[in-house]
Amino acid sequence: MANVSVYNMEGKEVGTIELNDAVFGAPVNEHLVHMAVVQQLANNRQGTQKAKTRSEVSGGGRKPWRQKGTGHARQGSTRAPQWTGGGVVFAPVPRDYSFKLNKKEKRAALKSALSDKVANGKLVVVDSLKFEEIKTKEFVKVMANLNVNDKALVVLNDNDKNVVLSARNIPTVKTSLTNTINVYDVVNAKTLVLTQDAVKTIEEVYA
């Protein structure tokens, strides 16, 4: 089992925590991680784009000129794709992009993503995150104390309004709860910041 340092909000080391290898030391399956990310992005697509084919465009019912003898190329409709104002060839139609990923595959992908962060030293554990009031400046200060300067995902165990709203205006920080954590957010973040309670909850759920 891997041991990682636990820091307080001032950035001082206050202890260590032993991570469960079943969650934070699992083999990294890049294919499953890729599939989980693709699935999440595909499921988020609206799929509402639409363009008209030649059969749906208004007009064009009459042949514009006779077949032979005009010197023009033969044409059957002014709404054919080669005409201005004509229909679109293979026009997009509303569709559902979503696809299914098995529950075990999703869990394995998340474990892979978490394990990769631990293996690369991109996991920071904080004893707790508490603010008496909503202050973005204070949250920025905490991130600086923890030496987190790039894109970060902060995972909380409880929906602490002061913490969530303090982080909301920081473009490089995203907050998440243990019950809404997903592979895409973990992979997309350069650094993963977990509270001690969040670590315990994730281990209880996924171990």
Side-chain angles (χ1 to χ4, degrees):
M1 289 190 176
N3 280 313
V4 295
S5 300
V6 178
Y7 300 91
N8 60 17
M9 289 170 60
E10 283 73 45
K12 294 175 183 174
E13 189 174 334
V14 293
T16 59
I17 188 172
E18 200 170 5
L19 299 176
N20 192 331
D21 280 348
V23 180
F24 293 98
V28 178
N29 189 327
E30 291 183 7
H31 174 67
L32 275 184
V33 172
H34 174 258
M35 288 299 293
V37 169
V38 169
Q39 189 223 14
Q40 186 173 338
L41 294 177
N43 291 359
N44 287 342
R45 291 183 71 172
Q46 282 186 309
T48 53
Q49 63 173 346
K50 173 77 174 80
K52 291 183 178 181
T53 62
R54 63 182 294 172
S55 66
E56 296 168 316
V57 178
S58 176
R62 182 173 63 83
K63 190 173 172 67
W65 51 74
R66 59 197 174 92
Q67 183 80 346
K68 293 178 177 291
T70 63
H72 290 297
R74 54 195 174 188
Q75 300 291 336
S77 169
T78 56
R79 293 297 175 259
Q82 72 270 20
W83 284 70
T84 300
V88 178
V89 183
F90 307 128
V93 292
R95 54 169 288 196
D96 181 11
Y97 288 93
S98 65
F99 64 94
K100 187 176 179 291
L101 207 61
N102 292 333
K103 189 176 179 181
K104 282 186 178 179
E105 290 177 321
K106 280 185 180 178
R107 290 171 73 94
L110 183 58
K111 289 179 186 179
S112 291
L114 293 171
S115 299
D116 183 65
K117 285 287 183 277
V118 175
N120 290 306
K122 295 297 184 181
L123 175 71
V124 178
V125 180
V126 189
D127 58 353
S128 66
L129 278 174
K130 294 285 180 188
F131 294 116
E132 291 184 9
E133 57 180 338
I134 300 167
K135 274 281 184 188
T136 301
K137 193 188 232 180
E138 288 301 313
F139 199 99
V140 171
K141 192 177 176 182
V142 170
M143 290 292 103
N145 291 340
L146 296 172
N147 203 25
V148 178
N149 304 314
D150 43 24
K151 193 182 286 186
L153 175 66
V154 179
V155 182
L156 309 168
N157 196 43
D158 303 307
N159 190 11
D160 190 320
K161 183 181 174 184
N162 287 355
V163 176
V164 173
L165 294 181
S166 294
R168 190 169 63 176
N169 277 344
I170 306 172
T172 56
V173 173
K174 182 172 184 177
T175 57
S176 180
L177 300 177
T178 48
N179 60 354
T180 60
I181 190 172
N182 60 75
V183 176
Y184 176 76
D185 286 343
V186 174
V187 171
N188 194 39
K190 298 288 185 185
T191 307
L192 181 62
V193 180
L194 299 175
T195 63
Q196 242 179 323
D197 290 340
V199 172
K200 290 175 185 173
T201 302
I202 289 170
E203 288 180 342
E204 285 172 10
V205 174
Y206 293 98

